[in-house]
Amino acid sequence: MPTPISTLPPLAATPVPAEIRLRYVLEHFALAYPGALISVIGYADTQPLVEIAAAGEAFFEEVKPYPAAPNWREWQGQQIPFFFDQPEKPLLVLQAEKAVIAADLISAAFYLLSGWQEYFSSERDRHGRFPYAASVQYKYGFVALPVVNYYFDVLRVAIEHVSGQPLRPRRWGSQKAPFAAFISHDVDNLRSAWKAPAKAAWQQRQFGRFGRLLWQHLTQPDAWDNLEAVAAATAQYEAESTFFLLSVKGRAANGTPNADYKLAESKFWQRLPAQCTLELHGSIGTSTDAQMLRDEDEEILDALGVRFHYLSWDSAQTPTTVEKCGFLFDSTLGFAEHYGFRHSYCQPFYPFNFERGRAANFLEIPLNVMDATLHHPHYLQLAPAEILPALAPVFAEIKRFGGVASVLWHNENFDPANTRNGPRQFHEIMAHLQAEGAAFRTGRDIWQEFTAEPAANS
Ligand SMILES: [Zn+2]
């Protein structure tokens, strides 16, 4: 793991009251299990039917990023880490018309889902991001498990016991698919496929080859100018591509490259099939600057969603920035360094806005898989044949809990020259998702379906 290279000054204490934590968690539970009777859940002081031990209260009085090590227990055949647990007691005791849970699942779910560790940790990587290496998911090895969904499953069993009401995870669409899949493409580069081979030819003094590549570049479309082909590739699975477009060309002030194309001039996106959705890929700096983000958005009409370039995210400032610009959803929150669950949750959720002390008003569709993560000098180096076997268990967890599998495949990785994390690996993933019964949805569709009035749990 690369070591974090920068640190931030410590934040002032901003306690989140117990009732806000409880409400934040239970509202998400009700979204995961539509129609659930959440009013029966509480701490002992309210004498609820589902009683949860208040073992995590003291942690939230302080501003530490990490709680004590979790206690591992088996639940539904899976080893699950329980934070704020009482290991000497059984996890769940079912009595006549009452259930008692020994782990403080409300505190544990709030801790993971809110991203508390990111807000209170001062560690950042060279791109200013919270590093996977600093996370509890890395430390305790559970990034590929949606642990909060397992906590909710314990609550489900308890509620079913006291209410007699069977609960089922969310289903997707009129066909009631067991999970959804969101396929997106960040468009960073459209014009640069020729550069790496041309540079290599020049360095190897193969001047004839260099000349041919340069001539091709000047007379033919670039191999990465391929958005129609990308849309056609996803359409083979009756899926619709969502493109996140950058509206700033060239290097940002800190030297990080933005797009290699000029969005306002090229209008290439107008050639795309009508079913493709265009959203905003916020350039470097926009994740903490609402005015800059708003100005960029005005270049693309009707962007309802955003994902930040380089997965830039500052948990202290970005939620308010996204809210100020009125986006309905974001899809930035995954670890660049590892596939899986950055907030240990496989459904869309409302990020916690620590600055405002409440849930944010936009939906997060968390990012589970990014192509670059799978093979990159700084991330994983999976062989092509290892990719689907690594991801299949993650998709199985998402299916188990009715979540959304969010997959980001950059358009440049549809270039047949990429045989590591290229088109072939993309097609393997898509065929797998289709065979598993995923309902392919755009980010907008997911927002619409997720925010609709909850249907009765039938
Ligand atoms: Zn990008």
Side-chain angles (χ1 to χ4, degrees):
M1 278 290 120
T3 42
I5 60 166
S6 67
T7 57
L8 300 173
L11 289 153
T14 46
V16 182
E19 61 272 21
I20 288 180
R21 302 195 303 267
L22 180 72
R23 196 169 64 213
Y24 181 74
V25 170
L26 293 187
E27 283 176 356
H28 281 94
F29 181 82
L31 288 165
Y33 293 93
L37 196 63
I38 53 174
S39 59
V40 300
I41 304 172
Y43 291 115
D45 55 352
T46 57
Q47 300 185 320
L49 297 179
V50 175
E51 183 183 310
I52 294 173
E57 294 287 278
F59 175 78
F60 297 97
E61 305 292 317
E62 299 185 50
V63 294
K64 294 185 299 188
Y66 308 113
N71 176 44
W72 290 81
R73 298 187 191 250
E74 188 177 320
W75 181 259
Q76 310 282 18
Q78 192 69 265
Q79 284 292 320
I80 301 298
F82 286 87
F83 291 95
F84 313 115
D85 197 0
Q86 305 176 88
E88 68 284 2
K89 295 184 179 172
L91 177 64
L92 173 63
V93 177
L94 300 177
Q95 304 162 349
E97 294 177 16
K98 188 172 166 96
V100 180
I101 298 173
D104 188 346
L105 297 184
I106 299 299
S107 291
F110 180 81
Y111 173 74
L112 292 169
L113 197 55
S114 71
W116 180 281
Q117 62 177 350
E118 302 192 18
Y119 185 73
F120 290 103
S121 164
S122 57
E123 296 195 27
R124 297 293 180 267
D125 71 7
R126 68 188 133 157
H127 299 298
R129 307 177 298 197
F130 177 70
Y132 170 56
S135 71
V136 288
Q137 285 83 359
Y138 170 68
K139 185 171 186 188
Y140 301 111
F142 62 85
V143 72
L145 278 181
V147 168
V148 174
N149 295 93
Y150 279 91
Y151 296 162
F152 283 2
D153 198 54
V154 178
L155 291 179
R156 172 190 66 81
V157 171
I159 292 187
E160 286 182 342
H161 172 73
V162 300
S163 69
Q165 173 198 26
L167 293 176
R168 282 204 332 216
R170 173 177 288 275
R171 292 282 181 267
W172 292 88
S174 53
Q175 76 269 41
K176 302 235 178 277
F179 69 124
F182 171 39
I183 308 303
S184 61
H185 320 283
D186 295 356
V187 183
D188 300 340
N189 296 300
L190 286 169
R191 313 263 180 259
S192 304
W194 71 287
K195 285 182 183 167
K199 188 177 171 190
W202 181 263
Q203 286 169 340
Q204 291 158 19
R205 306 180 68 80
Q206 297 173 336
F207 298 118
R209 178 170 157 73
F210 176 80
R212 279 194 303 281
L213 287 164
L214 185 63
W215 178 249
Q216 263 179 24
H217 167 62
L218 294 171
T219 57
Q220 292 172 25
D222 194 274
W224 293 352
D225 188 358
N226 60 356
L227 301 193
E228 289 110 316
V230 171
T234 54
Q236 288 178 36
Y237 305 90
E238 293 174 41
E240 294 175 16
S241 284
T242 293
F243 292 98
F244 287 94
L245 302 180
L246 272 168
S247 71
V248 175
K249 187 183 178 191
R251 290 188 183 275
N254 68 0
T256 306
N258 282 307
D260 75 346
Y261 58 90
K262 202 153 192 177
L263 182 65
E265 286 173 10
S266 50
K267 306 279 185 199
F268 59 86
W269 35 277
Q270 292 179 348
R271 302 196 308 263
L272 289 170
Q275 76 270 20
C276 294
T277 308
L278 307 179
E279 307 290 9
L280 182 69
H281 197 32
S283 76
I284 298 296
T286 54
S287 63
T288 55
D289 188 330
Q291 187 58 50
M292 196 175 159
L293 183 61
R294 197 177 291 119
D295 288 348
E296 284 191 6
D297 185 38
E298 284 168 4
E299 296 227 18
I300 305 176
L301 298 176
D302 300 330
L304 301 180
V306 63
R307 175 185 291 135
F308 293 100
H309 188 40
Y310 275 73
L311 307 184
S312 299
W313 190 270
D314 178 326
S315 55
Q317 298 180 62
T318 306
T320 302
T321 303
V322 174
E323 285 185 348
K324 279 183 179 169
C325 295
F327 288 102
L328 300 181
F329 72 92
D330 170 85
S331 187
T332 303
L333 289 174
F335 286 117
E337 305 95 317
H338 208 288
Y339 54 83
F341 307 99
R342 176 159 163 175
H343 290 245
S344 301
Y345 197 54
C346 72
Q347 292 227 356
F349 67 98
Y350 295 94
F352 196 78
N353 184 333
F354 283 93
E355 208 181 356
R356 302 273 161 91
R358 54 159 172 75
N361 62 17
F362 63 91
L363 197 64
E364 176 64 29
I365 307 172
L367 176 63
N368 307 120
V369 178
M370 174 169 78
D371 49 5
T373 302
L374 306 170
H375 197 99
H376 187 280
H378 297 143
Y379 307 148
L380 303 175
Q381 282 103 41
L382 297 179
E386 293 172 328
I387 289 177
L388 187 56
L391 299 181
V394 171
F395 296 140
E397 295 292 346
I398 295 168
K399 181 177 177 179
R400 179 177 196 160
F401 295 112
V404 178
S406 172
V407 175
L408 156 56
W409 217 261
H410 290 76
N411 62 299
E412 61 197 65
N413 290 328
F414 285 82
D415 182 346
N418 181 348
T419 55
R420 288 170 168 164
N421 49 358
R424 183 162 177 179
Q425 291 70 42
F426 175 77
H427 282 286
E428 285 172 3
I429 290 170
M430 291 297 283
H432 177 81
L433 291 170
Q434 189 178 48
E436 290 295 313
F440 289 103
R441 291 286 184 275
T442 65
R444 295 176 182 200
D445 293 340
I446 288 165
W447 177 85
Q448 196 157 39
E449 187 164 342
F450 201 80
T451 57
E453 282 296 302
N457 192 64
S458 56

